[in-house]
Amino acid sequence: MEEFINEEKPEGEIWHFVGSKSCDLTSLDETRRLFQRVKPTHVIHLAAFVGGLFANMKLVSCLSTCIFPDKTTYPIDETMVHLGPPHHSNEGYAYAKRLVDVQNRMYNKQYGCNFTSVIPTNIFGKHDNFDMATGHVIPNLIHKCYLAKQSQTPFVVWGSGSPRRQFIYNLDMARLIVWVMREYKEIDPIILSVGEEEEVSIHEAALAVARAMDFKGEVIFDKSKADGQFKKTASNAKLRSYLKTFEFTPFEEAMKATCKWFIENYATVRK
Ligand code: GFB
């Protein structure tokens, strides 16, 4: 390192090297103190949690179907994670999650770690985040429909309603993740999704919400709001090759259970 500094460092620059012994970068306080002391103008961030031999430890990480290439063929499968740039709306999220897959393989190669990842499609269900600003489409629609019914105003769905999604009930997702933890031995990811034929448009999902909420008013589509990715139809063939008979909760039934739970717990739900 000294050799590198002597030969390469231009005059007038001060370089600071930080190791885990001089600062624990996972501690916000320590990191702040370091930055106050050094006052860096530039930072090269090479910190990482490396090492350790967790050969018998199983780690299951969660990716997402929105990390796949934007320009792709359908259905999407597990072999396509890295085959092209993701949709611009979630570039950072997608690359960060793609690297979890790379990390799993590298940790397996170098340390024999038993790390893997699951790729869920759009999840919904009880205990979701129903906050309008940060929630996903189903909990948002449930919350909006609830308020529209109370105030007897139209139920406003964002976007054109034409994008398509495969929705999975969170209880089914939980069951499948536990199965992965126990039975799935591959390092490569596995898509956890209902079948391609179960994909619905946002329009259809909104009508299912209206039915489950017993909303009889007008449903409006606000086309000034973004549609996001048109679709990300995923194949669950790999999952089916392992679990031929797993029965997903029917969409309408899961929707009814979620709406019922939302209404009963309105005072305390995340919103
Ligand atoms: O669940 P969502 O927000 O995310 O769904 P993605 C967005 C779609 O629902 C767009 C429409 O077509 C929106 O125009 N939409 C209609 C609404 N009304 C609403 C509403 O009130 N709220 C919201 N949020 N959308 C997700 C990622 O992308 O994909 C997740 O953000 C996860 O983190 C998942 O990775 C797989 O489906 O576009």
Side-chain angles (χ1 to χ4, degrees):
M1 187 55 80
E2 251 177 34
E3 195 180 295
F4 178 59
I5 296 173
N6 292 338
E7 284 174 12
E8 310 268 353
K9 185 170 82 65
E11 263 183 11
E13 282 187 10
I14 305 167
W15 290 11
H16 290 268
F17 293 89
V18 180
S20 54
K21 287 205 180 69
S22 51
C23 177
D24 176 3
L25 291 172
T26 63
S27 153
L28 185 59
D29 281 345
E30 272 200 57
T31 308
R32 280 208 176 116
R33 275 200 294 278
L34 170 74
F35 271 64
Q36 274 155 12
R37 181 166 59 79
V38 174
K39 298 201 171 55
T41 55
H42 301 71
V43 176
I44 300 176
H45 179 21
L46 302 174
F49 181 62
V50 288
L53 189 70
F54 309 108
N56 296 317
M57 193 190 284
K58 175 92 178 181
L59 172 73
V60 179
S61 302
C62 203
L63 310 184
S64 161
T65 44
C66 61
I67 74 169
F68 281 102
D70 183 32
K71 295 196 172 46
T72 185
T73 52
Y74 297 99
I76 293 164
D77 70 40
E78 291 83 352
T79 65
M80 296 155 79
V81 172
H82 303 283
L83 296 188
H87 191 259
H88 60 82
S89 60
N90 56 359
E91 190 179 7
Y93 177 86
Y95 277 114
K97 285 207 174 280
R98 286 181 188 193
L99 283 178
V100 170
D101 171 53
V102 176
Q103 173 175 308
N104 288 347
R105 272 179 286 117
M106 297 306 110
Y107 268 48
N108 178 257
K109 259 193 203 155
Q110 193 164 357
Y111 303 111
C113 295
N114 190 12
F115 295 175
T116 191
S117 58
V118 296
I119 307 182
T121 45
N122 289 59
I123 309 169
F124 76 101
K126 302 172 194 177
H127 303 280
D128 206 340
N129 170 20
F130 293 84
D131 176 73
M132 298 293 191
T134 58
H136 286 106
V137 56
I138 298 275
N140 276 181
L141 291 180
I142 291 173
H143 195 173
K144 278 192 209 169
C145 188
Y146 177 86
L147 297 177
K149 189 175 172 182
Q150 277 198 334
S151 59
Q152 298 189 346
T153 52
F155 168 26
V156 182
V157 182
W158 289 346
S160 66
S162 56
R164 304 182 66 76
R165 299 287 185 267
Q166 281 155 300
F167 292 106
I168 179 167
Y169 189 38
N170 59 12
L171 205 56
D172 292 342
M173 181 59 63
R175 291 179 185 118
L176 289 172
I177 290 179
V178 170
W179 169 79
V180 167
M181 184 64 85
R182 293 194 178 122
E183 311 285 345
Y184 181 71
K185 305 290 181 224
E186 293 185 39
I187 303 303
D188 289 335
I190 182 162
I191 291 173
L192 302 183
S193 174
V194 297
E196 292 154 54
E197 68 288 354
E198 306 284 327
E199 189 176 57
V200 297
S201 67
I202 298 297
H203 189 134
E204 288 165 321
L207 296 186
V209 170
R211 276 194 298 279
M213 296 295 282
D214 197 25
F215 175 79
K216 304 269 191 259
E218 195 184 355
V219 183
I220 291 178
F221 291 84
D222 177 356
K223 291 186 181 152
S224 70
K225 292 282 198 294
D227 265 351
Q229 248 171 314
F230 175 63
K231 64 176 185 175
K232 35 196 175 179
T233 320
S235 161
N236 70 355
K238 185 175 189 177
L239 176 67
R240 281 296 181 209
S241 75
Y242 282 98
L243 281 181
K244 292 187 180 48
T245 55
F246 182 84
E247 283 183 29
F248 290 94
T249 310
F251 184 57
E252 295 277 335
E253 188 184 322
M255 182 66 83
K256 279 205 183 92
T258 307
C259 289
K260 185 168 180 287
W261 182 88
F262 175 80
I263 294 165
E264 285 170 2
N265 294 279
Y266 187 72
T268 52
V269 297
R270 269 196 291 162
K271 59 180 185 296

